[in-house]
Amino acid sequence: MVAIDKAHEDGVKRQAEQDDGIASIKYPKTASNSSISSGIKQAHTDAGFDARACFRSGLFDEIDALTGEFANAQPFKHCCIAPFCDEQLLQGVRREMLDRLHFTQKETDIFKYHQSGDLANLDGLPEAEKRQLPSLQRLRDAIYSQEFRDFVSKVTGCGPLSGSRTDMSTNRYKQRDHLLLHDDVIGDRRVSYIIYLPDPEINEGSGWAPEDGGHLELYPRESDDSWAPAVNPTRRLPPRWNQIVFFTVLPGQSHHSVEEVAGLDKERLSIQGWFHFPQPGEPGYAPDQMSQLWSAGAVSTLSQIEAKRQRETGIVGDAFTPFPGTDVIDSDSKVELSAEDMAVLSKYMNPDYLTQKVMAQVAEKFADDSHIQLGEFLNKELAAKLGAALKAVDAHDGMNGTQIPPHGTGERGRWHAFGPPVIRRYMRLDGPPMANAVGKAEDEASKESIAETENAATDILAAIRDELFASTAYARWLSGITTLALAGHRSMVRRFRCGLDYTLGTPDGTTSTTLDSVLCFVDQPEEWADGVVGGYECYVDGGGDGDEASNDGSVYRLTEDESILLTTPAAWNTLNIAMREPGVVKFVKYVSASAPGSRWDISSEYQVSATEDDEDDNDD
């Protein structure tokens, strides 16, 4: 495939690079965290450093009560404390973060936010520069002090925590920023924590409002028999001034996300960090300490994304269906559409695309690029009817670019939320009901008011899926413009709700070429064209099939050497056709709450039959 769009070239790496700047200050490069933190350990033993004074008075006397709260918390064990820090210290931290730290925007398929460098590197700065960040240094030293580590260890029951390995950075979530579901399982992380520093005077002092977004969302397991997360969260924690939330990092259990910040001029300022297992030479270190994380057979979210076992349980969709009456739609000779074919196709398609002249032009373009976009694909009458119905359904569900809709929005009738959200979440027409996929509270009168319109849209979309894209007539047309022999097909109708839905770049394990055919519908397509509100589909060279993913999730298959092959913005009544080779992964970027509506599409995949030359090559 040919690289035609570099607009999002810096935004597909799953692993964020750490930015090294603090204003004009540059962090020193170091070989390891343990070498950085020798000064920290010394600070903890200095007689003049009082770690407890950095926290709210009486905090350390509440261990028993907090331990009980942690043990009983749902959907997984966690602790939420507010206030937790000395007020004057935290005010100083906030000022230094805003005035002194340099933040760099990070964007991938799974997140978008602004991040500073690793605060462990502060110890390598010259003294004059360190003096510009006294509150940050004091808070960091207090967090990793023996006193606070013991406090966290007792509340969580997690055992000893490393004092030599620090791991924390500052984050600014601005409008449209988000972090999709994950479980934090990387390497030897043991406890995750988030310290919240939003403007204390936000919303005239009333605090962060639900409509501002930015909540920490906690997800239960799909069931007691599954390590996959349920499709919707069951607890949302607002970003509250002087609040800390922490939880043990457990594969297949500590699933959480950061909801998109939707409020205008609102910023979710926070410090994110981890405590690690003891390092060699530290008290409590054991060579087999990591084994307890995996003793129950849990699977980390990164492993779920990439492991072959997960793919084989149906990550990518239904099995391919062979075309009836023949194994392969042959393309060895010029395709001639029969009268029966034309009757099927002309019922749905723009008649211009059925002329030999236009088909030849499309074929020439596809031969050059291996992909093509065809606007105004459906005929005008059908497109107008469908467009009016889809717009009405979005309006009924509050998909108007001004707020994040509640989880469960639109889950009614034949539409079901489809997950697991570790790799995807969208509404699927006639899809299987998922665990915890409960529609939002909606009275019968409200449902009835949209039922006729929604049923009309649903019937049109289902007919396009079943009567057009599953037909041998469409396969022959597709084969004619691509010169590819097609053996089978599968299709699904999807709705990506603004503020809720996405797919992640997930290796699907295919070993043969696939032809993608995606018919997309969005309102106000000009608002989607630059990709700011998301919803675009991106093809990336995955660099392999993902079979080698490690169980602890520490191996990222999408590295900085990856290459973007194609990016297609969401558009109205536009068919995107692309030939996808094995090892290429694709994702639909999270649709922002600021999008003017849902991204609706009919996503079809066609098996490309191997040629005799290909089979001969595989035999060599």
Side-chain angles (χ1 to χ4, degrees):
M1 298 182 66
V2 180
I4 65 163
D5 191 329
K6 293 295 184 180
H8 304 285
E9 184 168 6
D10 296 328
V12 294
K13 293 189 282 292
R14 185 179 307 285
Q15 184 177 22
E17 301 169 354
Q18 293 293 327
D19 183 78
D20 286 340
I22 296 184
S24 61
I25 303 170
K26 292 296 181 181
Y27 287 127
K29 300 296 183 181
T30 55
S32 67
N33 278 337
S34 58
S35 63
I36 298 170
S37 57
S38 58
I40 299 173
K41 292 197 294 183
Q42 179 63 43
H44 296 163
T45 60
D46 285 347
F49 182 74
D50 183 0
R52 291 193 174 218
C54 298
F55 298 98
R56 188 242 308 158
S57 176
L59 176 64
F60 290 84
D61 299 327
E62 300 172 5
I63 288 179
D64 290 343
L66 293 171
T67 300
E69 292 178 15
F70 179 87
N72 294 319
Q74 296 294 333
F76 55 82
K77 296 178 181 179
H78 63 277
C79 190
C80 181
I81 305 172
F84 91 100
C85 186
D86 175 76
E87 181 72 16
Q88 185 176 358
L89 172 61
L90 207 62
Q91 289 282 5
V93 169
R94 177 178 165 82
R95 284 193 299 271
E96 291 170 10
M97 289 173 65
L98 295 176
D99 296 342
R100 295 292 183 182
L101 295 187
H102 172 69
F103 291 83
T104 300
Q105 180 175 308
K106 311 288 185 180
E107 183 174 7
T108 73
D109 57 345
I110 196 171
F111 60 71
K112 178 184 177 184
Y113 53 70
H114 299 72
Q115 187 177 64
S116 75
D118 188 343
L119 297 182
N121 293 340
L122 291 173
D123 291 285
L125 294 174
E127 287 300 321
E129 295 173 350
K130 283 197 292 185
R131 284 197 294 270
Q132 299 181 46
L133 304 169
S135 299
L136 268 168
Q137 292 182 79
R138 186 171 176 81
L139 178 63
R140 183 207 57 187
D141 291 351
I143 291 293
Y144 287 95
S145 67
Q146 186 69 57
E147 292 90 338
F148 194 69
R149 284 185 287 118
D150 287 346
F151 171 84
V152 172
S153 180
K154 290 176 182 177
V155 171
T156 62
C158 68
L161 298 170
S162 175
S164 66
R165 184 165 186 186
T166 61
D167 190 356
M168 63 191 299
S169 61
T170 58
N171 299 318
R172 294 176 76 172
Y173 286 78
K174 303 181 181 182
Q175 188 183 22
R176 299 192 182 99
D177 287 356
H178 58 273
L179 172 58
L180 303 180
L181 184 140
H182 59 292
D183 63 9
D184 275 357
V185 177
I186 295 180
D188 62 355
R189 291 174 177 175
R190 189 65 177 114
V191 174
S192 178
Y193 64 86
I194 309 100
I195 300 170
Y196 294 98
L197 303 96
D199 183 357
E201 301 304 318
I202 194 170
N203 294 328
E204 299 180 347
S206 62
W208 199 273
E211 59 268 23
D212 293 331
H215 289 63
L216 178 67
E217 300 180 315
L218 308 183
Y219 288 72
R221 289 165 57 183
E222 191 174 48
S223 70
D224 291 341
D225 299 323
S226 172
W227 294 106
V231 74
N232 291 325
T234 54
R235 187 170 189 198
R236 298 168 68 244
L237 299 171
R240 179 180 174 187
W241 168 256
N242 199 354
Q243 173 178 267
I244 187 170
V245 175
F246 57 84
F247 50 85
T248 47
V249 174
L250 294 172
Q253 298 183 60
S254 51
H255 293 118
H256 60 285
S257 63
V258 177
E259 184 183 44
E260 176 187 1
V261 172
L264 292 172
D265 302 320
K266 303 294 194 305
E267 283 196 9
R268 181 189 188 272
L269 195 64
S270 64
I271 295 175
Q272 168 73 62
W274 295 269
F275 294 103
H276 290 255
F277 275 99
Q279 306 300 295
E282 287 190 302
Y285 171 77
D288 62 346
Q289 59 190 2
M290 291 292 293
S291 63
Q292 61 184 292
L293 285 180
W294 313 104
S295 59
V299 180
S300 77
T301 53
L302 284 175
S303 293
Q304 288 183 57
I305 287 173
E306 301 187 17
K308 185 177 182 181
R309 181 197 64 76
Q310 181 76 2
R311 292 203 307 265
E312 291 174 344
T313 60
I315 271 184
V316 294
D318 306 324
F320 284 98
T321 301
F323 291 107
T326 181
D327 291 331
V328 175
I329 301 297
D330 197 359
S331 64
D332 288 342
S333 58
K334 183 178 179 181
V335 172
E336 296 289 346
L337 298 175
S338 67
E340 291 79 6
D341 291 337
M342 292 294 289
V344 172
L345 299 178
S346 60
K347 180 180 178 181
Y348 298 97
M349 291 174 57
N350 183 330
D352 290 346
Y353 290 124
L354 300 178
T355 66
Q356 288 295 327
K357 178 181 179 181
V358 172
M359 287 179 64
Q361 293 172 342
V362 171
E364 182 178 1
K365 175 66 174 175
F366 185 86
D368 290 340
D369 299 338
S370 297
H371 61 83
I372 194 168
Q373 284 186 290
L374 303 178
E376 299 182 11
F377 179 75
L378 296 182
N379 63 58
K380 291 183 179 180
E381 181 180 357
L382 185 61
K385 184 178 180 180
L386 178 61
L390 296 181
K391 188 171 183 178
V393 173
D394 270 347
H396 173 82
D397 289 336
M399 307 275 175
N400 53 17
T402 61
Q403 61 184 357
I404 298 176
H407 285 276
T409 296
E411 295 179 29
R412 56 182 175 256
R414 296 167 63 184
W415 290 92
H416 302 282
F418 191 56
V422 66
I423 56 174
R424 66 190 170 204
R425 182 173 59 218
Y426 49 79
M427 299 290 289
R428 180 177 176 182
L429 178 61
D430 300 325
M434 304 293 290
N436 194 39
V438 179
K440 72 169 184 176
E442 187 174 1
D443 60 45
E444 290 303 317
S446 176
K447 291 181 182 179
E448 187 66 26
S449 68
I450 196 61
E452 182 177 353
T453 301
E454 185 169 60
N455 288 341
T458 296
D459 290 345
I460 293 173
L461 293 169
I464 297 170
R465 177 193 64 192
D466 300 336
E467 298 178 14
L468 177 62
F469 291 146
S471 69
T472 54
Y474 181 75
R476 272 190 284 273
W477 178 84
L478 201 57
S479 182
I481 64 172
T482 62
T483 67
L484 297 173
L486 307 178
H489 67 92
R490 62 186 177 196
S491 298
M492 66 174 70
V493 181
R494 308 181 296 185
R495 179 190 185 186
F496 291 85
R497 300 160 296 177
C498 53
L500 294 173
D501 294 338
Y502 56 89
T503 67
L504 300 184
T506 307
D508 63 11
T510 55
T511 57
S512 60
T513 301
T514 302
L515 186 65
D516 292 336
S517 167
V518 181
L519 179 57
C520 182
F521 306 96
V522 295
D523 189 31
Q524 301 178 44
E526 67 280 1
E527 297 295 324
W528 301 76
D530 59 5
V532 171
V533 299
Y536 56 83
E537 188 156 34
C538 188
Y539 288 76
V540 181
D541 182 359
D545 66 4
D547 289 349
E548 301 82 10
S550 63
N551 194 42
D552 70 358
S554 61
V555 177
Y556 288 88
R557 303 306 301 171
L558 301 183
T559 68
E560 62 180 311
D561 296 325
E562 76 211 8
S563 157
I564 292 182
L565 305 174
L566 175 66
T567 301
T568 58
W572 166 250
N573 191 17
T574 298
L575 183 72
N576 297 301
I577 302 173
M579 185 173 67
R580 177 164 49 92
E581 301 289 351
V584 173
V585 301
K586 59 180 179 176
F587 63 88
V588 174
K589 178 62 179 176
Y590 166 83
V591 178
S592 169
S594 63
S598 300
R599 171 194 163 115
W600 307 77
D601 68 30
I602 306 172
S603 177
S604 303
E605 297 177 345
Y606 297 83
Q607 282 179 308
V608 176
S609 179
T611 65
E612 292 183 5
D613 290 340
D614 291 337
E615 293 172 353
D616 291 340
D617 291 341
N618 292 335
D619 292 338
D620 292 340

